[in-house]
mmCIF file of all heavy atoms in Angstrom:
data_model
loop_
_atom_site.group_PDB
_atom_site.id
_atom_site.type_symbol
_atom_site.label_atom_id
_atom_site.label_comp_id
_atom_site.label_asym_id
_atom_site.label_seq_id
_atom_site.Cartn_x
_atom_site.Cartn_y
_atom_site.Cartn_z
ATOM 1 N N CYS A 44 -30.616 -36.449 -56.332
ATOM 2 C CA CYS A 44 -30.140 -36.315 -57.711
ATOM 3 C C CYS A 44 -29.166 -37.455 -57.960
ATOM 4 O O CYS A 44 -28.207 -37.620 -57.227
ATOM 5 C CB CYS A 44 -29.466 -34.967 -57.916
ATOM 6 S SG CYS A 44 -28.946 -34.665 -59.607
ATOM 7 N N GLY A 85 -22.555 11.978 -58.182
ATOM 8 C CA GLY A 85 -23.946 11.663 -57.915
ATOM 9 C C GLY A 85 -24.441 10.410 -58.602
ATOM 10 O O GLY A 85 -25.646 10.198 -58.735
ATOM 11 N N ALA A 125 4.321 -32.345 -65.915
ATOM 12 C CA ALA A 125 3.719 -33.654 -66.158
ATOM 13 C C ALA A 125 2.237 -33.674 -65.803
ATOM 14 O O ALA A 125 1.463 -34.451 -66.397
ATOM 15 C CB ALA A 125 4.463 -34.730 -65.358
ATOM 16 N N GLN A 129 -4.358 -28.061 -65.080
ATOM 17 C CA GLN A 129 -5.334 -28.626 -64.151
ATOM 18 C C GLN A 129 -6.359 -27.554 -63.766
ATOM 19 O O GLN A 129 -6.040 -26.372 -63.698
ATOM 20 C CB GLN A 129 -4.641 -29.152 -62.895
ATOM 21 C CG GLN A 129 -3.747 -30.352 -63.125
ATOM 22 C CD GLN A 129 -4.536 -31.585 -63.534
ATOM 23 O OE1 GLN A 129 -5.590 -31.881 -62.952
ATOM 24 N NE2 GLN A 129 -4.041 -32.295 -64.536
ATOM 25 N N LEU A 206 5.011 -24.220 -68.695
ATOM 26 C CA LEU A 206 5.144 -23.770 -67.308
ATOM 27 C C LEU A 206 5.516 -22.293 -67.309
ATOM 28 O O LEU A 206 6.512 -21.902 -67.911
ATOM 29 C CB LEU A 206 6.225 -24.575 -66.592
ATOM 30 C CG LEU A 206 6.458 -24.225 -65.119
ATOM 31 C CD1 LEU A 206 5.230 -24.551 -64.278
ATOM 32 C CD2 LEU A 206 7.684 -24.961 -64.582
ATOM 33 N N ARG A 277 -2.603 17.328 -62.864
ATOM 34 C CA ARG A 277 -1.231 17.740 -63.173
ATOM 35 C C ARG A 277 -0.389 16.611 -63.773
ATOM 36 O O ARG A 277 0.644 16.857 -64.396
ATOM 37 C CB ARG A 277 -0.538 18.282 -61.929
ATOM 38 C CG ARG A 277 -0.254 17.281 -60.824
ATOM 39 C CD ARG A 277 0.441 18.029 -59.671
ATOM 40 N NE ARG A 277 0.906 17.168 -58.603
ATOM 41 C CZ ARG A 277 0.202 16.851 -57.519
ATOM 42 N NH1 ARG A 277 -1.034 17.318 -57.394
ATOM 43 N NH2 ARG A 277 0.719 16.087 -56.581
ATOM 44 N N PRO A 358 -20.555 9.868 -67.611
ATOM 45 C CA PRO A 358 -20.142 10.140 -68.992
ATOM 46 C C PRO A 358 -18.640 9.961 -69.219
ATOM 47 O O PRO A 358 -18.172 10.115 -70.346
ATOM 48 C CB PRO A 358 -20.538 11.611 -69.180
ATOM 49 C CG PRO A 358 -20.412 12.197 -67.807
ATOM 50 C CD PRO A 358 -20.844 11.107 -66.860
ATOM 51 N N GLU A 376 -18.585 -20.604 -59.999
ATOM 52 C CA GLU A 376 -18.433 -21.523 -58.872
ATOM 53 C C GLU A 376 -17.161 -21.236 -58.078
ATOM 54 O O GLU A 376 -17.155 -21.320 -56.845
ATOM 55 C CB GLU A 376 -18.409 -22.976 -59.365
ATOM 56 C CG GLU A 376 -19.653 -23.381 -60.112
ATOM 57 C CD GLU A 376 -19.490 -23.247 -61.616
ATOM 58 O OE1 GLU A 376 -18.862 -22.271 -62.082
ATOM 59 O OE2 GLU A 376 -19.987 -24.127 -62.339
ATOM 60 N N THR A 423 -17.828 -2.751 -34.462
ATOM 61 C CA THR A 423 -18.205 -1.693 -35.391
ATOM 62 C C THR A 423 -19.720 -1.634 -35.419
ATOM 63 O O THR A 423 -20.385 -2.668 -35.281
ATOM 64 C CB THR A 423 -17.679 -1.936 -36.815
ATOM 65 O OG1 THR A 423 -18.208 -0.921 -37.693
ATOM 66 C CG2 THR A 423 -18.087 -3.296 -37.359
ATOM 67 N N LYS A 426 -21.659 1.665 -39.687
ATOM 68 C CA LYS A 426 -22.172 2.890 -40.281
ATOM 69 C C LYS A 426 -21.083 3.599 -41.076
ATOM 70 O O LYS A 426 -19.894 3.320 -40.930
ATOM 71 C CB LYS A 426 -22.729 3.819 -39.204
ATOM 72 C CG LYS A 426 -23.992 3.291 -38.524
ATOM 73 C CD LYS A 426 -24.571 4.319 -37.551
ATOM 74 C CE LYS A 426 -25.858 3.793 -36.934
ATOM 75 N NZ LYS A 426 -26.482 4.799 -36.023
ATOM 76 N N GLY A 457 -9.281 13.432 -48.236
ATOM 77 C CA GLY A 457 -8.737 13.242 -49.577
ATOM 78 C C GLY A 457 -9.201 11.987 -50.279
ATOM 79 O O GLY A 457 -9.713 12.034 -51.403
ATOM 80 N N LYS A 464 -12.632 6.345 -55.697
ATOM 81 C CA LYS A 464 -13.247 5.615 -54.590
ATOM 82 C C LYS A 464 -14.028 6.568 -53.700
ATOM 83 O O LYS A 464 -14.540 6.169 -52.653
ATOM 84 C CB LYS A 464 -12.167 4.927 -53.751
ATOM 85 C CG LYS A 464 -11.377 3.857 -54.488
ATOM 86 C CD LYS A 464 -12.132 2.571 -54.549
ATOM 87 C CE LYS A 464 -11.251 1.441 -55.097
ATOM 88 N NZ LYS A 464 -11.999 0.185 -55.236
ATOM 89 N N GLY A 509 3.657 5.565 -40.740
ATOM 90 C CA GLY A 509 3.234 4.651 -41.793
ATOM 91 C C GLY A 509 3.377 5.320 -43.145
ATOM 92 O O GLY A 509 4.447 5.818 -43.496
ATOM 93 N N HIS A 523 -10.365 11.954 -35.572
ATOM 94 C CA HIS A 523 -10.538 10.948 -34.525
ATOM 95 C C HIS A 523 -9.639 11.267 -33.324
ATOM 96 O O HIS A 523 -8.694 10.543 -33.018
ATOM 97 C CB HIS A 523 -10.228 9.544 -35.041
ATOM 98 C CG HIS A 523 -10.786 8.444 -34.169
ATOM 99 N ND1 HIS A 523 -10.264 8.147 -32.926
ATOM 100 C CD2 HIS A 523 -11.821 7.588 -34.353
ATOM 101 C CE1 HIS A 523 -10.953 7.149 -32.387
ATOM 102 N NE2 HIS A 523 -11.908 6.790 -33.227
ATOM 103 N N LYS A 534 -4.155 5.679 -21.466
ATOM 104 C CA LYS A 534 -3.885 5.309 -22.856
ATOM 105 C C LYS A 534 -3.255 3.923 -22.926
ATOM 106 O O LYS A 534 -3.623 3.101 -23.774
ATOM 107 C CB LYS A 534 -2.967 6.335 -23.517
ATOM 108 C CG LYS A 534 -3.619 7.661 -23.841
ATOM 109 C CD LYS A 534 -2.611 8.594 -24.506
ATOM 110 C CE LYS A 534 -3.226 9.968 -24.759
ATOM 111 N NZ LYS A 534 -2.256 10.903 -25.367
#
Side-chain angles (χ1 to χ4, degrees):
C44 184
Q129 293 293 316
L206 181 65
R277 67 180 186 268
E376 301 96 321
T423 174
K426 292 185 178 183
K464 296 280 189 183
H523 198 288
K534 287 181 184 178

